[in-house]
Amino acid sequence: MFFGQDHFFEELFCICIQLVNKTWKEMRATQEDFDKVLQVVREQITRTLSLRPTSLELFKTRVYTLNYSEILKLRQTERLHQEETLAVPVLELRERLKPELLELIRQQRLRHLSEGTLFRKISTRRRQDKLWYCRLSPNHKVLHYGDVEEGVPSPAIESLPEKIPVADMKMLLVGKECPHTKEKSSGKQNKDVLELAFSIMYDMEEYCLNFIAPTRYEFCLWTDGLNVLLGKEMTSERMQTDLDVLLSMELKLRLLDLENITIPDTPPPVPKPPSNLNFCYDFS
């Protein structure tokens, strides 16, 4: 690969920067997801290089074939393989920890709903000029919502005139099932809206509260939280990611070798700052 090109690094960079754009679109990423996209791109490049392609064209073909969905499948397969090779006691510990950690995630979702989120109204003219706010009451029994003005980040719950008792909520609808997305025509903008749309069906079937989440992150947290209120399982991809992170961290803590190590009940005192900082490396 290296000796087959006069300007190898420049050619490689052109392929890889196009790969970043391609992966960005596949992940439907936002600015906050930049590091995640680069992690996936790094994995795409290293996995392709491990196959030892004999030319830059072959590298380009293989790295473009290894899209985001393929990376997810490979990660899942590797994770399952690792779990299968884990000792039985460790697997049993994972299963014992899961209910406690799932409850932690549920509480976090409900806390997020209690803090509330600012949503935009999408009219038939596709103008996003009106804002409304929705939040869950502290006792998790009522959803409060109402129109707000631009620049009001977190209105008080008393200022939101409309309300829906949680006991009246019947069903959560997402994507194409929502009444406010059924009549939309196909197109990139409407496809993006479909990914973020969800509705609460309440009281009787003809009553629905329709949402367009500002981000995929908010979509996952709200749909998870509403499923918790409805007594159903959380189903978003964010829930699985959070559970994996918490399980991994908790397992590592539980499996630490703490034999003959005294764990103090109180934290150690913070030492005084040094008299000078001359030991610090001078980068200038």
Side-chain angles (χ1 to χ4, degrees):
M1 281 175 62
F2 182 82
F3 292 107
Q5 298 285 334
D6 291 336
H7 304 283
F8 170 73
F9 285 111
E10 290 87 342
E11 294 286 347
L12 185 65
F13 175 81
C14 290
I15 293 170
C16 292
I17 201 69
Q18 289 175 36
L19 178 68
V20 171
N21 293 331
K22 178 174 173 287
T23 305
W24 185 282
K25 289 178 181 177
E26 288 170 356
M27 294 177 68
R28 298 187 181 89
T30 62
Q31 191 173 351
E32 298 169 356
D33 302 322
F34 191 76
D35 289 341
K36 293 179 183 175
V37 175
L38 286 189
Q39 285 174 10
V40 173
V41 172
R42 177 193 290 266
E43 194 170 335
Q44 288 169 318
I45 294 170
T46 52
R47 284 181 184 273
T48 305
L49 287 174
S50 68
L51 299 173
R52 297 185 177 276
T54 52
S55 68
L56 210 55
E57 280 302 315
L58 195 56
F59 170 81
K60 181 178 179 180
T61 304
R62 287 182 173 176
V63 82
Y64 280 13
T65 307
L66 195 63
N67 55 29
Y68 179 54
S69 60
E70 288 297 317
I71 290 288
L72 287 181
K73 287 177 187 174
L74 288 167
R75 285 178 176 176
Q76 178 74 8
T77 305
E78 288 170 1
R79 186 165 67 238
L80 288 172
H81 180 68
Q82 285 177 347
E83 288 179 359
E84 286 169 4
T85 56
L86 286 173
V88 174
V90 177
L91 293 175
E92 289 176 355
L93 180 59
R94 279 178 65 93
E95 291 305 313
R96 280 178 53 195
L97 292 172
K98 262 186 186 179
E100 182 184 341
L101 297 178
L102 280 171
E103 182 57 31
L104 189 66
I105 296 171
R106 287 190 197 99
Q107 293 304 319
Q108 187 270 335
R109 300 300 196 254
L110 292 176
R111 193 160 54 247
H112 184 79
L113 266 61
S114 297
E115 291 169 1
T117 302
L118 192 66
F119 296 94
R120 286 194 176 273
K121 286 186 176 179
I122 297 188
S123 64
T124 53
R125 297 180 181 178
R126 294 186 181 180
R127 288 170 53 200
Q128 300 184 343
D129 51 356
K130 290 188 177 180
L131 300 171
W132 65 291
Y133 202 85
C134 186
R135 66 190 303 177
L136 181 66
S137 62
N139 62 3
H140 303 163
K141 290 187 177 179
V142 182
L143 270 178
H144 296 261
Y145 65 97
D147 293 345
V148 293
E149 296 297 325
E150 190 87 47
V152 182
S154 181
I157 204 162
E158 297 81 13
S159 66
L160 302 173
E162 305 291 336
K163 57 179 71 175
I164 299 173
V166 171
D168 290 348
M169 288 167 45
K170 304 297 182 190
M171 192 185 303
L172 174 67
L173 306 172
V174 296
K176 293 180 180 179
E177 301 171 347
C178 301
H180 60 310
T181 61
K182 283 183 178 177
E183 296 179 358
K184 296 281 184 183
S185 60
S186 60
K188 185 179 184 304
Q189 183 183 3
N190 293 325
K191 187 180 178 184
D192 294 340
V193 167
L194 278 176
E195 293 289 330
L196 301 173
F198 61 98
S199 301
I200 302 169
M201 188 181 290
Y202 63 97
D203 200 11
M204 290 181 288
E205 285 192 11
E206 59 264 27
Y207 293 110
C208 276
L209 183 62
N210 302 318
F211 298 78
I212 300 290
T215 61
R216 185 68 188 177
Y217 174 77
E218 287 288 344
F219 174 86
C220 291
L221 265 60
W222 269 85
T223 51
D224 280 346
L226 292 170
N227 273 322
V228 171
L229 292 174
L230 290 165
K232 297 181 178 179
E233 294 292 326
M234 297 178 289
T235 56
S236 76
E237 67 267 19
R238 182 80 194 188
M239 186 281 297
Q240 191 57 51
T241 304
D242 290 349
L243 182 61
D244 288 343
V245 169
L246 290 171
L247 269 174
S248 174
M249 187 168 57
E250 191 68 24
L251 272 175
K252 287 173 183 175
L253 287 172
R254 296 288 183 100
L255 297 175
L256 280 175
D257 186 8
L258 299 176
E259 192 175 352
N260 299 324
I261 296 176
T262 306
I263 301 174
D265 296 326
T266 56
V270 178
K272 292 180 180 179
S275 56
N276 63 67
L277 299 173
N278 294 339
F279 57 85
C280 182
Y281 184 79
D282 185 5
F283 289 98
S284 61

